[in-house]
Amino acid sequence: MNLPLSTALTPLSSGQTVAQVLQKKLICCEPQTSVQQAASLMRHHNISCILVKKSDHILGIWTESDCKKLDLSDTTLLGQSVSMVMSCPVLSVPDQCTTSEAAALMKQKGVRRLLVTDRAHKAIGIVTQTDLIHQQPLEHYLVLRDISSILVELPLLLQAELTVAQAAILMQQTQRDAAIVKFDHSQCVDTEYGIVTERDLVHFVATERTLCTLAEVATRPLLTLPLHSSLLQAVRLLREHGFRHLGVTDPYGKPVGLLSHNHILLNMEHLYISELKAALEARDKALRSSESSLRLAYKVIEASHDAVMITDERGVIQSVNPSFCKLTGYSMEEALGQTPNLLSSGQHDESFYQQMWQRLQQQGYWQGEIWNKRKNGEIYPEWLSISAVRGENGTTNQYAAIFSDITERKKREQKIHELAYFDELTGLANRRLFQDRLEQALANAKRHDHQLAVLFLDLDLFKRINDTLGHQAGDEALRQVARRLQKASRAGESVARLGGDEFTMLVPECDGVEEIEKLAQRIVAQFDLPFQIQHNELVLTTSVGISIYPQHGTNASELLKFADAAMYQAKESGRNKYSIYTSSVGQRNDQALQLEQALRKALSQQQLEVHYQPKVKLQTGQLHSLEALVRWHDDELGEVPPARFIPMAETLGLIHQLGQQVLRQVCHQLQLWEKLAVPVAVNISAKELADPLFLPQLKQILAETDVDPQLLELEITESCLLPERAAETQQMLQKLRQLGIRLAIDDFGTGYSSLSYLRHLPINSLKIDRSFIKALPDNTSDRQITSAIIAMANAMGLDVIAEGVETQAQQEFLLAAGCQFGQGYWFGKAKNATTTQLLLQKTVPRHFHKP
């Protein structure tokens, strides 16, 4: 059944005004309101926009769509004023504007809401697309239309492991107001798809969740309807759930689109034009009964932004609209009397047009993507819908076609493809594409019985570039590395960036280990020349791990895992090298994984224990203070030395948690030893010192335990004293000294701090590294270095502690050189708190005073 065109147009031709459907509640904020505060207001009131107002003057508007334009990965931007990111001026209409005029203006300006003002030009409300759809009587119009008639855009499909910030970038780049989120089955048992929308982005800004993954925050399950459901059913479902988006699925349940209020309103013209067939069939009747209906039909066609072409039953063009002329470049006079072959691009073969014609004859309708040619010869893609117009006797009298240029849509789809499969920074394949290529190469290698190789590369000490020169320098370094790796690769070999400073290379067919070793040597050689980064000449090196099919693994997961393990072996061997996977490497990797899991468990259950080693006065042998040393006994692994688990804690980002547990244990112990008043030194890593939460957490621990800060000494490794971070380090150390905490430079002599730098630091003592003490007093070089350090420290008024003292001869040499304090097995090993307390009660003199 076809509705008369005049009936179909009733909603937009009614006299209903925006005043009758607007939302009267206006939510405003001051220009200086932060982005996060504005988002919180929008979230609280469940609205899609907020007006920025100063006094009675509306300066601008900030909407859900504006939110995705922000770089949500930079959380500092959430604190900037909303006036910096708002849209202005605000588009407004008078309250007597009709809903049809408002809808036309929204489409023309590309907006989804309008400010409504009264006769005094005072703002009285907001009208949105949702208002126009939900509050207009569209049921009679939508009941016979299915979703497929207006859905011509592929959905934006995002992986659940992406962050909210990354999702916002993709939504902005592809001009989408929502995206479907795909979950792995392992993450989601009940459903495979979810959704994230512009409104969600506002909520994530309000709650500071912009760095969360979509797996954590996306709404699921995705509300869906089959592709050929009616538009009326879709609108009712959206209204029932209070949603603005609906997933559209194919017969297999896979999403093929996202339907929104925006689609319905923007495609309303398509629906009107699809009524053209009914208008032509009823032409004679319309002329007799209602000339205005026919005039309205022509008015709609003339005003349409899409091209409309009407032909007779033989395909001869009878009429075209202005948009046809604008789109194709042909005038009306040039088109009339011609056939659609006028637009043929030559991109489709004869069978394509035969299938199109066959479907038109059988079903009276054809819709799809086609490539056509403009008058100037330019070939472009278009979305074309053709309907056969039959007379009362059922024979086809005419064909009505409507089409639009989808060049921009194709570009967006290509961009989505690139973002999905290529690394945006370097242009290399990303993890997903590399995985696909590896799977294909494996299938080919198994079929033809040949070998393939996977190389896993990691840049050595790359983090130093980001920490010292900034992330822009780091990004430029990664781009240059990518170019060098491509230069080292050969045709058919695939280079990919997995993330961070990790790269891979796939050799889909090789003759064995010798060939791959030569490739690895070429790769390492690419790093011989320094990199020019921001006018700096930097030396970068790489460690390369190699696995080969089928010797080392038979699937993609194994090959990547074993190449990764071999890469770590290369790092352990001194970096700037390559290593081929062996079973012993795999065994060490398994042991490392076991150690990692055990360490995480030990920290979560607070199983690490602090032992205490005495520091003594070399002159008298009298106890001076203690150093806290962390120890770990695991039921399965036994005693795990600090040299194994502390570097692992640094690598895994657990050093902050470990350091906090040690500090808390020490301060609680000092609280118990209050009457003994013995100072205790605790080692602090560079990462802890650079953590902005370190100082507040330390103050909290001191407050909880009520420990005198003067009883606490923090030992900072000399390698922490990066000249590039001199100002930040000095500021932090000053704050610690202001608390009354003593400061020592640990492992002195092994780093690169200069005397001029040390002079400005508020430190109390230097600890000479045990590597200089070990060979004393026999080693001439070590004697000279140690004596120089002691003389320098004494000249600066600093205490000097020698680590690793194990003989009387070492004690005597150090004392003669002017060293005041010593620590090592000669004076005592580290003991647990109970044993140490017994020692303190026996040896600490009653007149011992706080330093």
Side-chain angles (χ1 to χ4, degrees):
M1 173 183 175
N2 287 316
L3 297 175
L5 185 59
S6 57
T7 305
L9 291 174
T10 299
L12 287 188
S13 60
S14 71
Q16 192 175 31
T17 66
V18 292
Q20 295 171 284
V21 300
L22 62 78
Q23 303 171 20
K24 295 183 178 179
K25 190 174 182 181
L26 288 176
I27 306 300
C28 304
C29 68
E30 295 291 323
Q32 65 271 23
T33 304
S34 73
V35 168
Q36 185 182 6
Q37 291 169 335
S40 296
L41 278 171
M42 290 168 65
R43 178 172 182 256
H44 176 72
H45 294 283
N46 196 29
I47 54 176
S48 62
C49 65
I50 190 165
L51 293 168
V52 182
K53 187 176 181 183
K54 187 173 185 180
S55 299
D56 291 330
H57 183 55
I58 293 177
L59 303 177
I61 188 171
W62 191 62
T63 70
E64 294 169 337
S65 183
D66 293 325
C67 182
K68 69 179 183 230
K69 299 175 185 176
L70 301 175
D71 179 5
L72 299 184
S73 63
D74 185 357
T75 54
T76 61
L77 293 179
L78 306 187
Q80 68 177 325
S81 63
V82 72
S83 61
M84 299 293 291
V85 295
M86 67 183 183
S87 298
C88 60
V90 183
L91 199 61
S92 64
V93 293
D95 54 2
Q96 294 307 305
C97 172
T98 66
T99 53
S100 60
E101 291 170 336
L105 184 60
M106 285 182 186
K107 179 170 182 179
Q108 178 190 354
K109 299 296 184 181
V111 297
R112 299 207 295 269
R113 58 192 61 76
L114 297 168
L115 182 67
V116 181
T117 59
D118 60 16
R119 292 182 180 179
H121 303 292
K122 182 180 178 182
I124 60 172
I126 293 278
V127 64
T128 68
Q129 286 180 336
T130 305
D131 300 326
L132 297 181
I133 291 174
H134 281 184
Q135 300 191 36
Q136 292 192 80
L138 294 174
E139 282 81 356
H140 68 288
Y141 184 70
L142 300 174
V143 67
L144 296 179
R145 305 324 186 272
D146 68 22
I147 294 172
S148 66
S149 66
I150 68 169
L151 198 68
V152 297
E153 190 173 56
L154 293 174
L156 175 59
L157 194 64
L158 302 178
Q159 297 299 314
E161 61 265 22
L162 292 178
T163 66
V164 169
Q166 291 169 326
I169 292 172
L170 291 171
M171 289 168 67
Q172 172 64 14
Q173 289 177 337
T174 56
Q175 300 179 9
R176 307 297 177 94
D177 59 356
I180 294 175
V181 180
K182 184 176 181 181
F183 294 83
D184 293 334
H185 290 292
S186 59
Q187 294 172 300
C188 180
V189 176
D190 298 326
T191 182
E192 193 179 4
Y193 299 100
I195 189 171
V196 62
T197 69
E198 289 178 347
R199 179 156 296 188
D200 294 332
L201 295 182
V202 172
H203 291 186
F204 301 150
V205 168
T207 54
E208 297 186 74
R209 290 185 291 170
T210 56
L211 298 181
C212 293
T213 63
L214 297 180
E216 299 173 84
V217 298
T219 301
R220 51 179 171 173
L222 174 67
L223 186 67
T224 63
L225 274 180
L227 180 62
H228 293 292
S229 304
S230 74
L231 280 173
L232 178 61
Q233 188 179 358
V235 169
R236 285 178 174 172
L237 192 60
L238 288 170
R239 186 182 300 164
E240 176 187 339
H241 288 271
F243 291 170
R244 295 185 297 171
H245 297 85
L246 187 68
V248 182
T249 58
D250 64 13
Y252 304 100
K254 291 186 178 180
V256 293
L258 264 179
L259 181 70
S260 69
H261 293 153
N262 189 33
H263 284 114
I264 296 172
L265 200 61
L266 290 180
N267 285 279
M268 202 62 74
E269 277 193 341
H270 290 279
L271 301 178
Y272 298 154
I273 298 302
S274 70
E275 291 298 331
L276 182 59
K277 179 173 64 174
L280 291 170
E281 290 173 340
R283 178 176 52 191
D284 293 336
K285 182 179 178 181
L287 281 170
R288 291 191 299 270
S289 63
S290 177
E291 292 183 6
S292 63
S293 294
L294 190 57
R295 284 197 301 270
L296 184 57
Y298 282 121
K299 184 177 179 180
V300 170
I301 295 171
E302 291 291 303
S304 173
H305 290 284
D306 291 315
V308 177
M309 175 178 63
I310 300 169
T311 75
D312 63 16
E313 74 279 7
R314 295 175 294 115
V316 176
I317 300 173
Q318 294 179 321
S319 67
V320 295
N321 71 344
S323 290
F324 173 95
C325 301
K326 182 179 180 181
L327 183 61
T328 66
Y330 290 100
S331 67
M332 184 179 297
E333 292 74 18
E334 290 172 318
L336 296 182
Q338 300 287 334
T339 69
N341 287 338
L342 178 73
L343 307 176
S344 178
S345 65
Q347 298 282 314
H348 304 284
D349 58 22
E350 188 63 31
S351 65
F352 175 86
Y353 294 105
Q354 287 176 352
Q355 291 173 6
M356 176 194 293
W357 184 252
Q358 184 179 12
R359 183 167 180 182
L360 267 174
Q361 289 182 316
Q362 293 174 350
Q363 302 180 14
Y365 183 77
W366 185 90
Q367 180 177 262
E369 184 181 302
I370 188 171
W371 289 83
N372 270 340
K373 184 169 65 175
R374 307 186 210 275
K375 182 181 178 180
N376 63 7
E378 179 187 350
I379 294 174
Y380 67 98
E382 68 180 32
W383 186 261
L384 170 65
S385 298
I386 309 173
S387 292
V389 182
R390 294 190 173 95
E392 293 181 3
N393 59 1
T395 59
T396 299
N397 297 329
Q398 292 172 306
Y399 293 99
I402 177 170
F403 55 94
S404 56
D405 187 339
I406 58 171
T407 301
E408 291 304 316
R409 170 184 143 187
K410 300 289 286 185
K411 288 180 179 177
R412 290 198 299 270
E413 289 173 2
Q414 178 62 28
K415 184 64 175 176
I416 292 171
H417 174 79
E418 290 175 359
L419 291 170
Y421 290 101
F422 291 90
D423 176 52
E424 194 171 12
L425 177 66
T426 63
L428 297 177
N430 64 9
R431 182 185 294 272
R432 183 186 303 171
L433 181 55
F434 182 82
Q435 189 81 20
D436 289 347
R437 289 176 175 173
L438 178 53
E439 296 282 2
Q440 292 175 12
L442 272 170
N444 192 53
K446 291 174 182 177
R447 189 179 305 114
H448 299 289
D449 194 27
H450 61 69
Q451 300 178 83
L452 68 77
V454 172
L455 289 81
F456 198 106
L457 300 86
D458 183 89
L459 304 183
D460 300 324
L461 305 175
F462 176 74
K463 188 176 181 296
R464 290 281 294 274
I465 294 179
N466 282 333
D467 290 344
T468 56
L469 298 179
H471 288 281
Q472 285 187 340
D475 288 349
E476 176 56 28
L478 291 173
R479 282 190 287 265
Q480 291 190 27
V481 167
R483 288 195 290 270
R484 294 196 186 186
L485 292 179
Q486 286 177 309
K487 184 178 179 181
S489 66
R490 300 166 299 188
E493 296 172 351
S494 177
V495 182
R497 179 184 176 223
L498 299 190
D501 61 339
E502 292 181 342
F503 295 83
T504 53
M505 187 179 292
L506 169 64
V507 182
E509 187 171 351
C510 65
D511 294 328
V513 173
E514 186 176 344
E515 177 188 346
I516 301 304
E517 282 189 300
K518 289 179 180 178
L519 173 59
Q521 290 165 2
R522 288 203 308 273
I523 291 172
V524 172
Q526 284 293 324
F527 291 79
D528 289 344
L529 289 175
F531 290 76
Q532 300 296 326
I533 310 291
Q534 293 183 352
H535 308 294
N536 294 295
E537 191 173 87
L538 302 179
V539 176
L540 268 176
T541 58
T542 184
S543 298
V544 184
I546 300 167
S547 64
I548 298 176
Y549 166 86
Q551 295 95 308
H552 303 142
T554 57
N555 58 52
S557 177
E558 288 179 347
L559 290 170
L560 277 171
K561 174 185 174 183
F562 295 152
D564 187 19
M567 181 271 295
Y568 277 105
Q569 171 65 20
K571 280 189 180 294
E572 291 173 6
S573 300
R575 298 189 174 93
N576 199 29
K577 295 180 178 180
Y578 68 88
S579 176
I580 298 174
Y581 176 78
T582 63
S583 58
S584 60
V585 169
Q587 185 178 2
R588 283 195 295 274
N589 199 48
D590 292 340
Q591 290 171 350
L593 180 60
Q594 182 186 10
L595 182 64
E596 175 187 337
Q597 293 170 338
L599 178 59
R600 292 185 187 276
K601 179 182 176 183
L603 287 171
S604 66
Q605 298 181 0
Q606 300 195 16
Q607 296 174 350
L608 300 184
E609 184 181 4
V610 176
H611 286 203
Y612 299 87
Q613 186 175 32
K615 299 179 188 178
V616 304
K617 295 179 180 179
L618 293 177
Q619 183 70 41
T620 63
Q622 185 182 58
L623 179 70
H624 171 261
S625 57
L626 302 168
E627 180 179 1
L629 299 170
V630 66
R631 296 292 183 261
W632 175 26
H633 176 83
D634 183 81
D635 292 340
E636 294 184 12
L637 302 174
E639 294 293 335
V640 184
R644 282 192 69 197
F645 70 81
I646 289 180
M648 175 168 281
E650 292 252 10
T651 303
L652 298 174
L654 300 173
I655 195 65
H656 304 283
Q657 186 180 354
L658 189 154
Q660 286 290 303
Q661 289 190 19
V662 170
L663 273 171
R664 197 173 293 277
Q665 278 193 51
V666 167
C667 287
H668 278 290
Q669 199 62 54
L670 283 171
Q671 188 181 36
L672 294 174
W673 290 343
E674 182 181 7
K675 293 181 181 179
L676 298 172
V678 181
V680 177
V682 180
N683 289 285
I684 300 297
S685 72
K687 290 185 177 180
E688 289 179 275
L689 194 66
D691 185 355
L693 295 178
F694 173 72
L695 188 59
Q697 288 171 344
L698 175 59
K699 289 180 179 178
Q700 177 67 26
I701 292 171
L702 290 171
E704 287 175 6
T705 55
D706 194 27
V707 166
D708 186 345
Q710 294 184 75
L711 290 175
L712 190 64
E713 182 176 57
L714 299 182
E715 294 186 358
I716 302 154
T717 306
E718 189 185 3
S719 59
C720 294
L721 308 179
L722 293 171
E724 297 85 355
R725 292 184 53 84
E728 294 91 335
T729 302
Q730 186 172 359
Q731 187 179 23
M732 173 59 79
L733 297 183
Q734 289 286 5
K735 290 178 180 178
L736 291 170
R737 286 294 291 126
Q738 289 167 5
L739 289 177
I741 295 172
R742 289 174 58 83
L743 300 171
I745 303 300
D746 195 14
D747 299 338
F748 189 80
T750 61
Y752 41 78
S753 54
S754 65
L755 181 60
S756 60
Y757 182 26
L758 286 176
R759 284 192 302 111
H760 298 291
L761 297 178
I763 55 177
N764 303 96
S765 55
L766 295 181
K767 293 188 72 176
I768 305 174
D769 187 68
R770 66 183 65 249
S771 62
F772 299 114
I773 307 301
K774 181 170 59 175
L776 289 179
D778 303 323
N779 187 289
T780 303
S781 176
D782 287 344
R783 283 204 313 269
Q784 292 172 343
I785 292 173
T786 303
S787 298
I789 291 174
I790 294 171
M792 180 192 74
N794 288 333
M796 295 174 65
L798 302 175
D799 293 338
V800 188
I801 303 108
E803 293 182 303
V805 180
E806 297 183 359
T807 67
Q808 182 175 351
Q810 289 171 346
Q811 178 182 3
E812 291 171 354
F813 170 81
L814 291 166
L815 186 62
C819 182
Q820 302 100 324
F821 305 101
Q823 175 185 354
Y825 287 174
W826 180 246
F827 308 113
K829 296 183 178 181
K831 301 292 183 182
N832 62 30
T834 303
T835 305
T836 301
Q837 182 168 335
L838 294 174
L839 173 68
L840 292 176
Q841 289 169 343
K842 292 178 183 179
T843 59
V844 174
R846 296 183 183 278
H847 62 274
F848 190 93
H849 294 291
K850 300 173 186 177

